[in-house]
Amino acid sequence: MKKELEDTQVALEASHKVIAGLTEICLSMSKKIERMKVKKQKVRANHVECHQKFQARIHEAEDSMQAQHLIIEALVDEKDSLLQTIQGLQEANNAPAPFDGDWEEEPEEEEIEDIPLGEGEIDDE
């Protein structure tokens, strides 16, 4: 009976050690889970911030493109107005119309005769 009591006591002490070890592991895992949750929140917040910055940049680019488009339209209108003014002045002065298609053609380039390649020369063609 004494032997049984000692065996039970040894088993009970072993069980307490196992329980203490498992409790320590659970506490460690709980701390890791909490750290992971905090990290996940930080990552999510960082993602939201980056997304907002990206959206702001897109909005700025769209605004810039719209402004550039308006400037281009204004320049085209100004060009058309200037061309009409020029045409009106030339008509008033009996001058030939600008850009009437009488462009000077570029002179033809002289043909370069093919020189046969010697040994060791490089053909870039």
Side-chain angles (χ1 to χ4, degrees), residues 2-97:
K2 192 174 183 183
K3 175 75 172 147
E4 244 179 70
L5 183 59
E6 285 177 14
D7 290 345
T8 304
Q9 201 168 11
V10 169
L12 185 58
E13 286 175 11
S15 293
H16 282 292
K17 287 181 181 179
V18 168
I19 290 171
L22 290 174
T23 303
E24 190 176 321
I25 290 171
C26 286
L27 288 173
S28 174
M29 289 177 67
S30 293
K31 288 177 184 177
K32 284 183 181 180
I33 289 170
E34 286 303 313
R35 285 193 301 264
M36 289 172 66
K37 285 180 181 179
V38 169
K39 185 177 180 181
K40 183 179 177 181
Q41 288 173 344
K42 287 180 181 178
V43 167
R44 188 172 285 160
N46 187 33
H47 173 75
V48 168
E49 182 182 345
C50 287
H51 181 72
Q52 289 170 344
K53 287 180 180 179
F54 185 67
Q55 289 296 328
R57 287 181 185 160
I58 289 173
H59 187 67
E60 288 174 15
E62 288 172 345
D63 289 348
S64 175
M65 287 174 55
Q66 187 175 14
Q68 290 173 358
H69 181 71
L70 293 173
I71 290 169
I72 290 169
E73 283 181 356
L75 290 171
V76 167
D77 291 344
E78 182 70 17
K79 177 199 75 144
D80 291 342
S81 174
L82 289 171
L83 284 175
Q84 287 176 354
T85 302
I86 290 169
Q87 286 174 343
L89 290 171
Q90 286 180 332
E91 287 173 5
N93 293 323
N94 293 323

Side-chain angles (χ1 to χ4, degrees), residues 92-107:
N93 293 323
N94 293 323
F99 312 114
D100 60 357
D102 293 337
W103 295 96
E104 289 184 26
E105 292 188 26
E106 293 183 23

